[in-house]
Each structure stands twice: as structure tokens, then as C-alpha cells.
Amino acid sequence: MCGCRRSRSCVSGEPDGRCFNHANPYWRNKLRNLSCAWRPGSAGSAGMNPPGDRQSPTRITDPKAVAAITHPVRMRLLGELARRGSARVVDLASLVGEPPNSVSFHLRQLARYGLIEHDPDHASDRRERWWRQASDNGFHIDLEAIRVQDGGEAAVATLRRVAEGHVVALHRAIHGGDAATRHPQAVSRDFAVWLDEQELAEMRAELDQVLERWSERSRAHAEAEGRGERRGYYGVVMSAPEDEMFRVYADQERGES
């Protein structure tokens, strides 16, 4: 997952660096080729950024970190921190509908792998802990680095299953059910374009800018609080060469994958 700032996480693992999932809020680090400066963290960590570096996405190379980020409650916590920027345990507990002690446990697990950290800029005293993502650009999951480790293939399979599950759930939330349960403000649009490599890069950069602008507005609303009725939204932006997509589709129809 490349560490874009839209959804806060995405997965890259193809030989040419392409990602297979580009999400918004917590898997919000859209699919984008990425080379990030990093250095290994302590044992059991994901790969910490240098102190003060909040621009490079946190690089995840530890298969054990996959369990931390794919737990349903932790995915929701990452999403809330992506939307809000920073939050207290009591706020997050209310947002995800979990007891504060349970939320504290899950936050500690995310912090253990370097995905989140305390936010000293918001704490009014030492008794009040605020949490934020370790990087303003989310995290980058390096599938190739994970694959070569013990348990790596199973971890990659888990990531793919979760990413595909998100896409299916998103489609069903938008198009499933009857008209009474469908949300009228849902965003759904497909597209087909004919591009060279430079044009593809330009389109990706423009989409990044649009999503980043709205992400910053989301965090500003969270800081101000009380600006009308708002809901959290999750989105995915994905594209692939059409011939490859239909090849995969044909394999699925034949039951080969």
C-alpha cells in the first residue's frame, strides 16, 4: 500500500510498483508509486521514519503488522484519525462504539508497529492523551518485503482479502438493497480513458490534489467541531490497463483465481 494521504494506506507489490488498492480514509494512501525515505524501527515495529519526518509514509515490512492494521476496530480507528487528524481515546471510543479501555488497547497495538503516535500538540496536560497517525501521508505496505519473511505469504493473502472485501462492501453499500436503504449522496462513477505514461502520471497527480484538498477540509471540520451534520465517507480510486483487467475477469469466470 503506498502511503497516500487520501485513505491513509495502500498496497503496492507488483514488480513495476503498481498498487492494487487505492482507498480513502484509512486505506487512504491511494495507489501510487512511491519511494520513501525510512529507517528500520525497533524490533517488532513497522519501519519508523526519521524523527520529525511526517511527510514520508510509514513503511510496513513486518508480516505481524498486518494483523494490527486488518483488525476491524483498528481499521476504523485508523479511518477516524485520517479524517480527524488527532483524537482522544474517549472521542474515538464514542465514534467507533467501543469501550475506552478496548480502544486504548487497540491504539497501543497500532502504536507498537509505528502506525500512530501521541500528539503532544493537542494535550493540555499529561493525563490527556491525543493520538495521531505517525505520518501525515499514512503508511506504505511493501508486499515484496513482507513476502520473503516467515508468515509473509499468509500476510499478503490477508491483505488482499481485506482490500477486496472493502471494494465489494463499498459496491454493495452504494448499489445493494432497495431504494429506501440506498444513500442518495453516495459517489459512484466509472471511467475509461486512453493515456500514455505521462498522461497517466498527470491524472494521478490531479486526483491526489483533489483528494488531499478534501481530506484537509475534513480535518479542519473536525478541529472546529459542530459545523453541521456530517458523516464519515470511505472511497476507493482504482484503475488498471483494461486488457489486464479483463484477463483477470476471464480467469475468475473460469474459476482460476
Side-chain angles (χ1 to χ4, degrees):
M1 299 179 181
C2 38
C4 326
R5 300 187 57 183
R6 270 40 49 182
S7 58
R8 295 288 175 197
S9 108
C10 87
V11 180
S12 69
E14 303 309 316
D16 60 359
R18 287 171 297 166
C19 313
F20 69 79
N21 181 39
H22 216 85
N24 205 37
Y26 32 85
W27 297 116
R28 154 213 234 209
N29 307 127
K30 315 144 301 129
L31 282 57
R32 181 174 81 188
N33 295 344
L34 175 79
S35 62
C36 57
W38 73 288
R39 69 178 183 183
S42 58
S45 68
M48 309 292 190
N49 291 342
D53 179 9
R54 293 192 51 78
Q55 297 307 308
S56 298
T58 302
R59 185 171 181 256
I60 297 177
T61 59
D62 186 345
K64 294 179 182 177
V66 171
I69 63 173
T70 55
H71 187 285
V73 173
R74 294 169 202 163
M75 286 193 290
R76 293 192 62 195
L77 292 171
L78 287 170
E80 292 301 338
L81 290 175
R83 278 187 285 265
R84 303 175 72 84
S86 297
R88 301 173 300 173
V89 170
V90 64
D91 300 322
L92 292 168
S94 175
L95 290 164
V96 303
E98 293 285 329
N101 61 338
S102 174
V103 168
S104 291
F105 169 78
H106 290 302
L107 291 171
R108 288 196 301 272
Q109 294 303 303
L110 292 170
R112 176 184 179 187
Y113 292 100
L115 297 167
I116 65 173
E117 64 185 14
H118 293 143
D119 183 359
D121 297 335
H122 279 79
S124 58
D125 58 57
R126 293 193 176 188
R127 295 171 299 176
E128 185 180 55
R129 281 191 170 181
W130 288 70
W131 292 88
R132 66 186 179 187
Q133 293 193 110
S135 167
D136 290 335
N137 283 303
F139 52 90
H140 164 84
I141 299 180
D142 189 332
L143 296 185
E144 291 308 309
I146 290 175
R147 274 195 180 99
V148 299
Q149 301 181 60
D150 289 343
E153 289 295 344
V156 170
T158 296
L159 284 167
R160 290 189 181 277
R161 185 167 60 252
V162 170
E164 290 169 0
H166 275 68
V167 175
V168 171
L170 184 60
H171 183 272
R172 290 177 179 173
I174 295 172
H175 300 291
D178 54 36
T181 61
R182 247 174 255 145
H183 197 279
Q185 272 75 51
V187 178
S188 176
R189 175 175 177 175
D190 60 357
F191 63 93
V193 290
W194 186 253
L195 305 171
D196 62 25
E197 289 297 318
Q198 179 60 36
E199 290 168 331
L200 178 63
E202 291 176 10
M203 183 179 73
R204 179 187 294 125
E206 290 180 14
L207 287 171
D208 285 354
Q209 292 170 4
V210 170
L211 291 170
E212 180 53 35
R213 186 172 71 247
W214 283 100
S215 294
E216 289 177 353
R217 181 180 293 193
S218 172
R219 292 190 291 273
H221 288 321
E223 286 280 348
E225 293 201 53
R227 291 192 182 178
E229 292 294 325
R230 287 186 172 80
R231 301 178 68 175
Y233 282 83
Y234 171 81
V236 175
V237 178
M238 294 189 296
S239 68
E242 191 174 50
D243 56 341
E244 292 185 23
M245 185 194 74
F246 281 109
R247 176 186 57 76
V248 172
Y249 183 79
D251 290 345
Q252 291 175 335
E253 290 294 289
R254 291 193 299 267
E256 296 179 8
S257 62

